[in-house]
Amino acid sequence: MEKERTEVNDIDRSIYDFKDSEEDFYRVKEGLTPAIVDQISKEKHDPEWMRQFRQKSLEIYEKLRVPDWGPDISGLNMDDIVTYVRPNTKMSAKWEEVPEDIRNTFERLGIPQAERESLAGVGAQYDSELVYHNVKDEVSKTGVVYTDMESALTGEYEQMVKDHFMKLVPPSDHKFAALHGAVWSGGSFVYVPPGVKLDIPLQSYFRLNAAGAGQFEHTLIIVSEGADLHFIEGCSAPKYNVANLHAGCVELYVGKNARLRYSTIENWSKNMYNLNTKRAICEEGASIEWVSGSFGSHVSYLYPSSILKGDDSHAEFTGITFAGRGQNLDTGAKMFHMGKNTSSFINTKSISKDGGISTYRSSVTVMPGAENAKASVSCASLMLDDISRSDTIPAMDIRTDKADIGHEAKIGRISDDAVFYLMSRGISEEEAKAMIVSGFADPVSKELPLEYAVEMNNLIRLEMKGAIG
Amino acid sequence: MALLEIKNLCVSVDDNAILDNINLNIGRGETHVLMGPNGAGKSTLGNALMGNPAYKITSGNIYFNGLDIKEESADKRAKAGMFMSFQNPLEVPGINLSSFIRNAIAVQTGQKIRFSQFRQDLAKNMELLNFDPSYKDRDLNVGFSGGEKKKAEILQLLMLKPKFAILDETDSGLDVDAVRTVSEGIREYQKYEDGALLIITHSTRILESLHVDRTHILVKGRIAESGDGSLVEKINENGFEKYLD
């Protein structure tokens, strides 16, 4: 019997791919010059120190080289990227006041609905600026601050911002961190006072609508001693033929015995260069839990890092990456053990199909003083056909012999026998493959809030659709 | 008209011819046994009938319910009423046994069965198979022992109620008690009206308590002899030696 030909189609991303007109929006010129950076600073009414910070970052940016150890990003020409696009609206705490087309965008993405049902607060960023922000009253009463970065920068938390902003990820970290420092805009500031435990999550959603633009939102979260927070971040963009850039920065400060869970579903369009930097620092007894789903984008460099500074601190990273046609996703995590009795767990799954390349890259560093550190890395890859690629690059730098380190890597192809087994029960080939992929992703889905687990499963189904001729 | 008609069927795997000109008719409600030494091509016939794309039909035809199904994919054959109990059932993480069966019933019948009814049927059949009920909430075959996997296959048979089922070495690797329970399940399936079976085996233990209509001996890709149920006993006594010259 002739096996059906497997044909590769682009997926139907219509739920994400709609675009809005942006005629009235303010945008700076393409490219990057001190004048453009000053203009952004002026538009945003930065304090003087921030203006200087931006110019300093730009200088560093000019000096640093484009990374050459990962996926090719030569298709990204900074002279073509518009670094600041402001929608023609002011930020609002009332959903009805958000302009209709922008409101429609977020409604199609299910944001206000999620807010009503299961969130303590929501921020929605459209291009470079937050357009909507709201925190439930009972949350504000606990002293929790959740606001846009711009308000934080000029309000009563200015000093706190100044003390933490790009201290964990300095502009000198790498070229795109420097770029971020120069042109950042939007993002969220969260402060959780000591001992406050939020039992429902806060969420921010980033939507990049403008063609040929960059999004550089900054997320700064400070969780004080004994406090507890779950923060969710969602990202999407429609597809254009020109390159878009996302170079956000996330800095998470987790205080003594505090706990932070940071969940992300990134679903950028497939023309996006996603060069995002995320880092957390944990004080004594603190714990950070990352849950990360990377779908979409043309190229991704994404390695959320955890610095286990305090004794007995703990980090967990659970991630999934799905690379389809034309995608080269280089993702993983970094763990730095500095304190004693620190522990870290990395558990990742990556899926590649239709010629997509997915690379797992991680580093675990255990410093000499980090006695009794425990680290475990487990990564599994699933390739859905013969033309896709999957690589695993786990680095370990262990500088004490008093550490317990484990590593497990699995790379496999989707089993034809398993597909046939499911089909013999009446399940179609497409559905059978989707079931196997979902099952593979299951340990990650389980870590996501329910509605995100559903979204992730939908994304997997969306990606699997049209894969069968 | 037979439920299943196999006409001049030739099958190859990786360009190696395995089955040579197989002719076999199975009527509604009939139980046929396919025996033969290792490597004779028994599982190949099962896989080719069920539509495993790794098994290529080079010539001949398969008619099920009068329809030529040679070109149909496995899921279409299942929807037409065919089933195969696998020799090595595969582990599928992420979906539990109960949801999987319910999902399979839904796609095969095009309608969802009432959950209360489903749960009742499932509990009844699991009890019949002496199958620990907690397994219904476990991921499909994941971490199941050999015996539990086979029980899960027979459970699916009982729940999906196909018109025709291929049991590929269902008894292999089972202890005496497990063979007895599994064959109890098979007898339950025989009770259904029109429930036809092709039991592929190289031992006879599983057949002891089952009614058999026809027995076929497959040797080196050909049917060397066909007979009624009594042929099983002869094989039991003499083995396959006389066919191997």
mmCIF file of all heavy atoms in Angstrom, chain A residues 1-4 415 417-418 420-429 431 435-436 439-440 442, chain B residues 47 51-52 56-57 70 74-75 77-79 83-84 86 90 93 95 100 107-108 141 153 156:
data_model
loop_
_atom_site.group_PDB
_atom_site.id
_atom_site.type_symbol
_atom_site.label_atom_id
_atom_site.label_comp_id
_atom_site.label_asym_id
_atom_site.label_seq_id
_atom_site.Cartn_x
_atom_site.Cartn_y
_atom_site.Cartn_z
ATOM 1 N N MET A 1 0.848 -1.207 0.000
ATOM 2 C CA MET A 1 0.000 0.000 0.000
ATOM 3 C C MET A 1 0.879 1.251 0.000
ATOM 4 O O MET A 1 1.849 1.356 0.733
ATOM 5 C CB MET A 1 -0.899 -0.014 1.235
ATOM 6 C CG MET A 1 -1.928 1.075 1.220
ATOM 7 S SD MET A 1 -3.017 0.965 2.661
ATOM 8 C CE MET A 1 -1.839 0.855 3.967
ATOM 9 N N GLU A 2 0.506 2.184 -0.807
ATOM 10 C CA GLU A 2 1.256 3.440 -0.914
ATOM 11 C C GLU A 2 1.019 4.277 0.328
ATOM 12 O O GLU A 2 -0.117 4.526 0.710
ATOM 13 C CB GLU A 2 0.752 4.176 -2.160
ATOM 14 C CG GLU A 2 1.655 5.268 -2.658
ATOM 15 C CD GLU A 2 2.997 4.750 -3.159
ATOM 16 O OE1 GLU A 2 3.106 3.556 -3.507
ATOM 17 O OE2 GLU A 2 3.910 5.544 -3.183
ATOM 18 N N LYS A 3 2.076 4.681 0.987
ATOM 19 C CA LYS A 3 1.899 5.535 2.150
ATOM 20 C C LYS A 3 1.525 6.936 1.677
ATOM 21 O O LYS A 3 2.018 7.425 0.688
ATOM 22 C CB LYS A 3 3.205 5.607 2.945
ATOM 23 C CG LYS A 3 3.031 6.296 4.282
ATOM 24 C CD LYS A 3 4.333 6.276 5.052
ATOM 25 C CE LYS A 3 4.300 7.054 6.335
ATOM 26 N NZ LYS A 3 3.245 7.977 6.575
ATOM 27 N N GLU A 4 0.603 7.544 2.413
ATOM 28 C CA GLU A 4 0.199 8.899 2.027
ATOM 29 C C GLU A 4 1.393 9.843 2.135
ATOM 30 O O GLU A 4 2.184 9.759 3.054
ATOM 31 C CB GLU A 4 -0.909 9.388 2.960
ATOM 32 C CG GLU A 4 -2.245 8.796 2.625
ATOM 33 C CD GLU A 4 -3.318 9.385 3.516
ATOM 34 O OE1 GLU A 4 -3.477 10.611 3.508
ATOM 35 O OE2 GLU A 4 -3.980 8.603 4.198
ATOM 36 N N SER A 415 7.441 7.961 16.697
ATOM 37 C CA SER A 415 7.428 6.543 16.359
ATOM 38 C C SER A 415 6.279 6.218 15.406
ATOM 39 O O SER A 415 5.117 6.453 15.708
ATOM 40 C CB SER A 415 7.308 5.739 17.658
ATOM 41 O OG SER A 415 6.603 4.551 17.452
ATOM 42 N N ASP A 417 5.307 3.344 14.697
ATOM 43 C CA ASP A 417 4.516 2.280 15.319
ATOM 44 C C ASP A 417 3.464 2.859 16.254
ATOM 45 O O ASP A 417 2.333 2.375 16.301
ATOM 46 C CB ASP A 417 5.428 1.337 16.114
ATOM 47 C CG ASP A 417 6.266 0.463 15.195
ATOM 48 O OD1 ASP A 417 5.869 0.300 14.021
ATOM 49 O OD2 ASP A 417 7.306 -0.042 15.646
ATOM 50 N N ALA A 418 3.861 3.904 16.997
ATOM 51 C CA ALA A 418 2.897 4.516 17.915
ATOM 52 C C ALA A 418 1.772 5.186 17.125
ATOM 53 O O ALA A 418 0.600 5.113 17.504
ATOM 54 C CB ALA A 418 3.593 5.518 18.825
ATOM 55 N N PHE A 420 0.702 4.284 14.162
ATOM 56 C CA PHE A 420 -0.139 3.204 13.638
ATOM 57 C C PHE A 420 -1.027 2.625 14.751
ATOM 58 O O PHE A 420 -2.210 2.345 14.547
ATOM 59 C CB PHE A 420 0.741 2.106 13.023
ATOM 60 C CG PHE A 420 -0.020 0.851 12.669
ATOM 61 C CD1 PHE A 420 -1.074 0.889 11.761
ATOM 62 C CD2 PHE A 420 0.328 -0.373 13.240
ATOM 63 C CE1 PHE A 420 -1.780 -0.266 11.433
ATOM 64 C CE2 PHE A 420 -0.373 -1.525 12.925
ATOM 65 C CZ PHE A 420 -1.426 -1.473 12.020
ATOM 66 N N TYR A 421 -0.452 2.481 15.928
ATOM 67 C CA TYR A 421 -1.216 1.937 17.053
ATOM 68 C C TYR A 421 -2.456 2.789 17.318
ATOM 69 O O TYR A 421 -3.573 2.273 17.426
ATOM 70 C CB TYR A 421 -0.321 1.889 18.294
ATOM 71 C CG TYR A 421 -0.992 1.350 19.538
ATOM 72 C CD1 TYR A 421 -1.487 0.047 19.570
ATOM 73 C CD2 TYR A 421 -1.131 2.132 20.680
ATOM 74 C CE1 TYR A 421 -2.097 -0.453 20.710
ATOM 75 C CE2 TYR A 421 -1.741 1.637 21.819
ATOM 76 C CZ TYR A 421 -2.223 0.348 21.832
ATOM 77 O OH TYR A 421 -2.828 -0.140 22.965
ATOM 78 N N LEU A 422 -2.268 4.098 17.387
ATOM 79 C CA LEU A 422 -3.405 4.982 17.655
ATOM 80 C C LEU A 422 -4.387 4.965 16.486
ATOM 81 O O LEU A 422 -5.606 4.967 16.669
ATOM 82 C CB LEU A 422 -2.923 6.410 17.922
ATOM 83 C CG LEU A 422 -2.044 6.568 19.177
ATOM 84 C CD1 LEU A 422 -1.552 8.000 19.315
ATOM 85 C CD2 LEU A 422 -2.812 6.167 20.429
ATOM 86 N N MET A 423 -3.848 4.922 15.258
ATOM 87 C CA MET A 423 -4.727 4.901 14.084
ATOM 88 C C MET A 423 -5.571 3.625 14.049
ATOM 89 O O MET A 423 -6.710 3.638 13.601
ATOM 90 C CB MET A 423 -3.910 5.034 12.794
ATOM 91 C CG MET A 423 -3.339 6.426 12.591
ATOM 92 S SD MET A 423 -2.325 6.530 11.106
ATOM 93 C CE MET A 423 -3.603 6.495 9.824
ATOM 94 N N SER A 424 -5.003 2.522 14.556
ATOM 95 C CA SER A 424 -5.752 1.259 14.535
ATOM 96 C C SER A 424 -6.965 1.318 15.458
ATOM 97 O O SER A 424 -7.785 0.418 15.481
ATOM 98 C CB SER A 424 -4.843 0.100 14.956
ATOM 99 O OG SER A 424 -4.686 0.095 16.364
ATOM 100 N N ARG A 425 -7.058 2.409 16.247
ATOM 101 C CA ARG A 425 -8.234 2.586 17.104
ATOM 102 C C ARG A 425 -9.203 3.605 16.507
ATOM 103 O O ARG A 425 -10.120 4.066 17.187
ATOM 104 C CB ARG A 425 -7.803 3.044 18.504
ATOM 105 C CG ARG A 425 -6.839 2.085 19.190
ATOM 106 C CD ARG A 425 -7.419 0.673 19.339
ATOM 107 N NE ARG A 425 -6.591 -0.190 20.152
ATOM 108 C CZ ARG A 425 -5.943 -1.256 19.679
ATOM 109 N NH1 ARG A 425 -6.019 -1.584 18.397
ATOM 110 N NH2 ARG A 425 -5.232 -2.010 20.493
ATOM 111 N N GLY A 426 -8.923 4.006 15.253
ATOM 112 C CA GLY A 426 -9.862 4.896 14.569
ATOM 113 C C GLY A 426 -9.445 6.358 14.571
ATOM 114 O O GLY A 426 -10.148 7.219 14.048
ATOM 115 N N ILE A 427 -8.285 6.637 15.168
ATOM 116 C CA ILE A 427 -7.838 8.029 15.274
ATOM 117 C C ILE A 427 -7.062 8.403 14.008
ATOM 118 O O ILE A 427 -6.231 7.627 13.541
ATOM 119 C CB ILE A 427 -6.977 8.175 16.548
ATOM 120 C CG1 ILE A 427 -7.890 7.977 17.758
ATOM 121 C CG2 ILE A 427 -6.272 9.510 16.610
ATOM 122 C CD1 ILE A 427 -7.203 7.518 18.994
ATOM 123 N N SER A 428 -7.338 9.587 13.447
ATOM 124 C CA SER A 428 -6.697 9.977 12.188
ATOM 125 C C SER A 428 -5.201 10.195 12.405
ATOM 126 O O SER A 428 -4.746 10.400 13.528
ATOM 127 C CB SER A 428 -7.323 11.262 11.648
ATOM 128 O OG SER A 428 -6.945 12.341 12.479
ATOM 129 N N GLU A 429 -4.459 10.164 11.304
ATOM 130 C CA GLU A 429 -3.004 10.306 11.398
ATOM 131 C C GLU A 429 -2.634 11.632 12.063
ATOM 132 O O GLU A 429 -1.782 11.693 12.957
ATOM 133 C CB GLU A 429 -2.383 10.230 10.007
ATOM 134 C CG GLU A 429 -0.867 10.288 10.044
ATOM 135 C CD GLU A 429 -0.224 10.093 8.679
ATOM 136 O OE1 GLU A 429 -0.933 9.816 7.706
ATOM 137 O OE2 GLU A 429 1.006 10.248 8.598
ATOM 138 N N GLU A 431 -4.435 13.514 14.053
ATOM 139 C CA GLU A 431 -4.818 13.502 15.463
ATOM 140 C C GLU A 431 -3.862 12.615 16.273
ATOM 141 O O GLU A 431 -3.488 12.956 17.392
ATOM 142 C CB GLU A 431 -6.266 12.997 15.562
ATOM 143 C CG GLU A 431 -6.877 13.056 16.931
ATOM 144 C CD GLU A 431 -7.115 14.483 17.419
ATOM 145 O OE1 GLU A 431 -7.127 15.418 16.585
ATOM 146 O OE2 GLU A 431 -7.291 14.637 18.625
ATOM 147 N N MET A 435 -1.673 13.812 19.319
ATOM 148 C CA MET A 435 -1.779 13.177 20.638
ATOM 149 C C MET A 435 -0.399 12.828 21.181
ATOM 150 O O MET A 435 -0.114 13.018 22.370
ATOM 151 C CB MET A 435 -2.595 11.879 20.541
ATOM 152 C CG MET A 435 -4.071 12.055 20.771
ATOM 153 S SD MET A 435 -4.969 10.554 20.300
ATOM 154 C CE MET A 435 -5.071 9.779 21.870
ATOM 155 N N ILE A 436 0.445 12.305 20.301
ATOM 156 C CA ILE A 436 1.784 11.909 20.738
ATOM 157 C C ILE A 436 2.587 13.139 21.150
ATOM 158 O O ILE A 436 3.254 13.143 22.179
ATOM 159 C CB ILE A 436 2.506 11.115 19.623
ATOM 160 C CG1 ILE A 436 1.801 9.762 19.448
ATOM 161 C CG2 ILE A 436 3.982 10.925 19.947
ATOM 162 C CD1 ILE A 436 2.197 9.001 18.210
ATOM 163 N N GLY A 439 1.260 14.504 24.363
ATOM 164 C CA GLY A 439 1.683 13.624 25.447
ATOM 165 C C GLY A 439 3.130 13.896 25.827
ATOM 166 O O GLY A 439 3.480 13.936 26.998
ATOM 167 N N PHE A 440 3.934 14.120 24.805
ATOM 168 C CA PHE A 440 5.344 14.454 25.016
ATOM 169 C C PHE A 440 5.453 15.772 25.797
ATOM 170 O O PHE A 440 6.306 15.933 26.667
ATOM 171 C CB PHE A 440 6.009 14.566 23.646
ATOM 172 C CG PHE A 440 7.454 14.975 23.672
ATOM 173 C CD1 PHE A 440 8.437 14.073 24.048
ATOM 174 C CD2 PHE A 440 7.824 16.253 23.297
ATOM 175 C CE1 PHE A 440 9.765 14.455 24.061
ATOM 176 C CE2 PHE A 440 9.151 16.633 23.303
ATOM 177 C CZ PHE A 440 10.127 15.732 23.681
ATOM 178 N N ASP A 442 3.194 16.971 27.753
ATOM 179 C CA ASP A 442 2.341 16.927 28.937
ATOM 180 C C ASP A 442 3.002 17.360 30.248
ATOM 181 O O ASP A 442 2.410 18.119 31.014
ATOM 182 C CB ASP A 442 1.740 15.526 29.073
ATOM 183 C CG ASP A 442 0.620 15.484 30.081
ATOM 184 O OD1 ASP A 442 -0.308 16.296 29.934
ATOM 185 O OD2 ASP A 442 0.682 14.677 31.022
ATOM 186 N N ASN B 47 -0.706 -7.221 10.516
ATOM 187 C CA ASN B 47 -0.381 -5.820 10.244
ATOM 188 C C ASN B 47 -0.885 -5.365 8.877
ATOM 189 O O ASN B 47 -1.358 -4.239 8.728
ATOM 190 C CB ASN B 47 1.129 -5.594 10.349
ATOM 191 C CG ASN B 47 1.565 -5.360 11.784
ATOM 192 O OD1 ASN B 47 1.408 -4.268 12.309
ATOM 193 N ND2 ASN B 47 2.063 -6.405 12.429
ATOM 194 N N GLY B 51 -3.568 -2.423 8.160
ATOM 195 C CA GLY B 51 -3.165 -1.228 7.409
ATOM 196 C C GLY B 51 -1.913 -0.553 7.929
ATOM 197 O O GLY B 51 -1.762 0.668 7.805
ATOM 198 N N ASN B 52 -0.988 -1.335 8.503
ATOM 199 C CA ASN B 52 0.293 -0.745 8.906
ATOM 200 C C ASN B 52 1.080 -0.367 7.653
ATOM 201 O O ASN B 52 1.390 -1.216 6.829
ATOM 202 C CB ASN B 52 1.072 -1.773 9.731
ATOM 203 C CG ASN B 52 2.330 -1.180 10.337
ATOM 204 O OD1 ASN B 52 2.874 -0.212 9.831
ATOM 205 N ND2 ASN B 52 2.792 -1.780 11.422
ATOM 206 N N LYS B 56 3.824 -3.573 2.950
ATOM 207 C CA LYS B 56 3.377 -3.147 1.635
ATOM 208 C C LYS B 56 2.686 -4.298 0.904
ATOM 209 O O LYS B 56 3.260 -5.390 0.765
ATOM 210 C CB LYS B 56 4.596 -2.684 0.833
ATOM 211 C CG LYS B 56 4.273 -1.714 -0.266
ATOM 212 C CD LYS B 56 5.572 -1.129 -0.830
ATOM 213 C CE LYS B 56 5.398 -0.660 -2.249
ATOM 214 N NZ LYS B 56 4.361 0.329 -2.458
ATOM 215 N N ILE B 57 1.470 -4.032 0.484
ATOM 216 C CA ILE B 57 0.745 -5.045 -0.291
ATOM 217 C C ILE B 57 1.188 -4.940 -1.744
ATOM 218 O O ILE B 57 0.969 -3.918 -2.396
ATOM 219 C CB ILE B 57 -0.777 -4.843 -0.152
ATOM 220 C CG1 ILE B 57 -1.189 -5.094 1.306
ATOM 221 C CG2 ILE B 57 -1.539 -5.772 -1.099
ATOM 222 C CD1 ILE B 57 -2.633 -4.794 1.613
ATOM 223 N N LYS B 70 -8.054 -2.180 0.654
ATOM 224 C CA LYS B 70 -6.593 -2.246 0.503
ATOM 225 C C LYS B 70 -5.926 -0.874 0.600
ATOM 226 O O LYS B 70 -4.827 -0.741 1.123
ATOM 227 C CB LYS B 70 -6.271 -2.899 -0.845
ATOM 228 C CG LYS B 70 -4.847 -3.330 -0.981
ATOM 229 C CD LYS B 70 -4.619 -4.090 -2.261
ATOM 230 C CE LYS B 70 -4.664 -3.147 -3.465
ATOM 231 N NZ LYS B 70 -4.235 -3.837 -4.693
ATOM 232 N N ALA B 74 -5.307 2.937 8.342
ATOM 233 C CA ALA B 74 -5.702 2.129 9.504
ATOM 234 C C ALA B 74 -6.920 2.706 10.230
ATOM 235 O O ALA B 74 -7.792 1.959 10.685
ATOM 236 C CB ALA B 74 -4.530 2.009 10.476
ATOM 237 N N ASP B 75 -6.989 4.041 10.332
ATOM 238 C CA ASP B 75 -8.115 4.631 11.065
ATOM 239 C C ASP B 75 -9.439 4.380 10.343
ATOM 240 O O ASP B 75 -10.471 4.142 10.975
ATOM 241 C CB ASP B 75 -7.895 6.126 11.317
ATOM 242 C CG ASP B 75 -7.633 6.925 10.055
ATOM 243 O OD1 ASP B 75 -6.925 6.409 9.161
ATOM 244 O OD2 ASP B 75 -8.131 8.054 9.947
ATOM 245 N N ARG B 77 -10.048 1.739 8.469
ATOM 246 C CA ARG B 77 -10.350 0.321 8.679
ATOM 247 C C ARG B 77 -10.970 0.119 10.067
ATOM 248 O O ARG B 77 -11.904 -0.656 10.228
ATOM 249 C CB ARG B 77 -9.075 -0.525 8.543
ATOM 250 C CG ARG B 77 -8.504 -0.451 7.135
ATOM 251 C CD ARG B 77 -7.313 -1.352 6.956
ATOM 252 N NE ARG B 77 -6.568 -0.934 5.758
ATOM 253 C CZ ARG B 77 -5.728 -1.701 5.100
ATOM 254 N NH1 ARG B 77 -5.486 -2.931 5.496
ATOM 255 N NH2 ARG B 77 -5.099 -1.239 4.039
ATOM 256 N N ALA B 78 -10.416 0.847 11.056
ATOM 257 C CA ALA B 78 -10.964 0.733 12.411
ATOM 258 C C ALA B 78 -12.409 1.212 12.420
ATOM 259 O O ALA B 78 -13.278 0.583 13.029
ATOM 260 C CB ALA B 78 -10.116 1.553 13.386
ATOM 261 N N LYS B 79 -12.656 2.319 11.717
ATOM 262 C CA LYS B 79 -14.022 2.837 11.687
ATOM 263 C C LYS B 79 -14.971 1.882 10.979
ATOM 264 O O LYS B 79 -16.161 1.850 11.282
ATOM 265 C CB LYS B 79 -14.048 4.210 11.011
ATOM 266 C CG LYS B 79 -13.542 5.309 11.930
ATOM 267 C CD LYS B 79 -13.560 6.656 11.229
ATOM 268 C CE LYS B 79 -13.039 7.719 12.163
ATOM 269 N NZ LYS B 79 -12.699 8.954 11.461
ATOM 270 N N PHE B 83 -10.212 -4.319 14.180
ATOM 271 C CA PHE B 83 -9.461 -4.056 15.407
ATOM 272 C C PHE B 83 -8.262 -4.986 15.434
ATOM 273 O O PHE B 83 -8.323 -6.096 14.921
ATOM 274 C CB PHE B 83 -10.354 -4.336 16.624
ATOM 275 C CG PHE B 83 -9.678 -4.172 17.959
ATOM 276 C CD1 PHE B 83 -9.693 -2.944 18.604
ATOM 277 C CD2 PHE B 83 -9.030 -5.242 18.576
ATOM 278 C CE1 PHE B 83 -9.068 -2.783 19.841
ATOM 279 C CE2 PHE B 83 -8.404 -5.084 19.810
ATOM 280 C CZ PHE B 83 -8.429 -3.848 20.445
ATOM 281 N N MET B 84 -7.180 -4.511 16.037
ATOM 282 C CA MET B 84 -6.061 -5.417 16.253
ATOM 283 C C MET B 84 -5.542 -5.254 17.674
ATOM 284 O O MET B 84 -5.314 -4.138 18.139
ATOM 285 C CB MET B 84 -4.927 -5.150 15.262
ATOM 286 C CG MET B 84 -3.750 -6.092 15.454
ATOM 287 S SD MET B 84 -2.714 -6.253 13.977
ATOM 288 C CE MET B 84 -1.430 -5.092 14.354
ATOM 289 N N PHE B 86 -2.422 -5.631 19.772
ATOM 290 C CA PHE B 86 -1.013 -5.629 19.372
ATOM 291 C C PHE B 86 -0.179 -6.601 20.190
ATOM 292 O O PHE B 86 -0.412 -6.806 21.379
ATOM 293 C CB PHE B 86 -0.419 -4.212 19.509
ATOM 294 C CG PHE B 86 -0.767 -3.299 18.367
ATOM 295 C CD1 PHE B 86 -2.095 -3.081 18.004
ATOM 296 C CD2 PHE B 86 0.234 -2.656 17.646
ATOM 297 C CE1 PHE B 86 -2.416 -2.233 16.950
ATOM 298 C CE2 PHE B 86 -0.073 -1.806 16.587
ATOM 299 C CZ PHE B 86 -1.394 -1.600 16.242
ATOM 300 N N LEU B 90 1.936 -0.075 22.355
ATOM 301 C CA LEU B 90 2.870 1.035 22.554
ATOM 302 C C LEU B 90 2.468 1.913 23.718
ATOM 303 O O LEU B 90 1.285 2.055 24.025
ATOM 304 C CB LEU B 90 2.975 1.834 21.258
ATOM 305 C CG LEU B 90 3.776 0.984 20.267
ATOM 306 C CD1 LEU B 90 2.907 0.445 19.182
ATOM 307 C CD2 LEU B 90 4.987 1.696 19.787
ATOM 308 N N PRO B 93 2.338 8.418 26.534
ATOM 309 C CA PRO B 93 2.155 9.279 27.694
ATOM 310 C C PRO B 93 1.188 10.415 27.395
ATOM 311 O O PRO B 93 1.010 10.787 26.234
ATOM 312 C CB PRO B 93 3.559 9.850 27.960
ATOM 313 C CG PRO B 93 4.473 9.261 26.959
ATOM 314 C CD PRO B 93 3.670 8.557 25.930
ATOM 315 N N ILE B 95 -2.102 10.604 27.827
ATOM 316 C CA ILE B 95 -3.532 10.322 27.753
ATOM 317 C C ILE B 95 -3.793 9.053 28.561
ATOM 318 O O ILE B 95 -3.064 8.073 28.428
ATOM 319 C CB ILE B 95 -4.035 10.190 26.296
ATOM 320 C CG1 ILE B 95 -5.547 9.975 26.285
ATOM 321 C CG2 ILE B 95 -3.334 9.079 25.535
ATOM 322 C CD1 ILE B 95 -6.224 10.406 25.026
ATOM 323 N N PHE B 100 -8.644 7.577 26.626
ATOM 324 C CA PHE B 100 -8.274 7.093 25.307
ATOM 325 C C PHE B 100 -9.382 6.228 24.713
ATOM 326 O O PHE B 100 -9.780 6.392 23.560
ATOM 327 C CB PHE B 100 -6.960 6.309 25.392
ATOM 328 C CG PHE B 100 -6.567 5.688 24.084
ATOM 329 C CD1 PHE B 100 -6.193 6.489 23.014
ATOM 330 C CD2 PHE B 100 -6.605 4.319 23.908
ATOM 331 C CE1 PHE B 100 -5.853 5.937 21.790
ATOM 332 C CE2 PHE B 100 -6.267 3.750 22.698
ATOM 333 C CZ PHE B 100 -5.889 4.556 21.634
ATOM 334 N N VAL B 107 -14.660 8.737 18.185
ATOM 335 C CA VAL B 107 -14.290 8.912 16.774
ATOM 336 C C VAL B 107 -14.844 7.792 15.907
ATOM 337 O O VAL B 107 -15.172 8.005 14.738
ATOM 338 C CB VAL B 107 -12.759 9.061 16.522
ATOM 339 C CG1 VAL B 107 -12.219 10.325 17.149
ATOM 340 C CG2 VAL B 107 -11.971 7.871 16.975
ATOM 341 N N GLN B 108 -14.972 6.599 16.479
ATOM 342 C CA GLN B 108 -15.471 5.490 15.665
ATOM 343 C C GLN B 108 -16.975 5.569 15.429
ATOM 344 O O GLN B 108 -17.462 5.202 14.375
ATOM 345 C CB GLN B 108 -15.116 4.145 16.311
ATOM 346 C CG GLN B 108 -13.621 3.861 16.236
ATOM 347 C CD GLN B 108 -13.310 2.394 16.424
ATOM 348 O OE1 GLN B 108 -14.173 1.549 16.265
ATOM 349 N NE2 GLN B 108 -12.063 2.095 16.741
ATOM 350 N N ASN B 141 -0.733 2.452 28.635
ATOM 351 C CA ASN B 141 0.327 1.437 28.607
ATOM 352 C C ASN B 141 1.641 1.848 29.273
ATOM 353 O O ASN B 141 2.576 1.058 29.321
ATOM 354 C CB ASN B 141 0.645 0.987 27.164
ATOM 355 C CG ASN B 141 -0.542 0.300 26.514
ATOM 356 O OD1 ASN B 141 -1.322 -0.371 27.192
ATOM 357 N ND2 ASN B 141 -0.691 0.468 25.218
ATOM 358 N N GLU B 153 -5.377 -4.281 26.020
ATOM 359 C CA GLU B 153 -5.781 -4.506 24.625
ATOM 360 C C GLU B 153 -7.153 -5.173 24.577
ATOM 361 O O GLU B 153 -8.028 -4.771 23.809
ATOM 362 C CB GLU B 153 -4.757 -5.386 23.899
ATOM 363 C CG GLU B 153 -3.397 -4.744 23.689
ATOM 364 C CD GLU B 153 -3.430 -3.567 22.730
ATOM 365 O OE1 GLU B 153 -3.505 -3.762 21.506
ATOM 366 O OE2 GLU B 153 -3.400 -2.428 23.229
ATOM 367 N N GLN B 156 -9.882 -2.861 25.438
ATOM 368 C CA GLN B 156 -10.266 -2.027 24.293
ATOM 369 C C GLN B 156 -11.156 -2.804 23.329
ATOM 370 O O GLN B 156 -12.113 -2.275 22.774
ATOM 371 C CB GLN B 156 -9.022 -1.497 23.567
ATOM 372 C CG GLN B 156 -8.244 -0.491 24.413
ATOM 373 C CD GLN B 156 -6.915 -0.107 23.786
ATOM 374 O OE1 GLN B 156 -6.852 0.290 22.641
ATOM 375 N NE2 GLN B 156 -5.844 -0.246 24.542
#
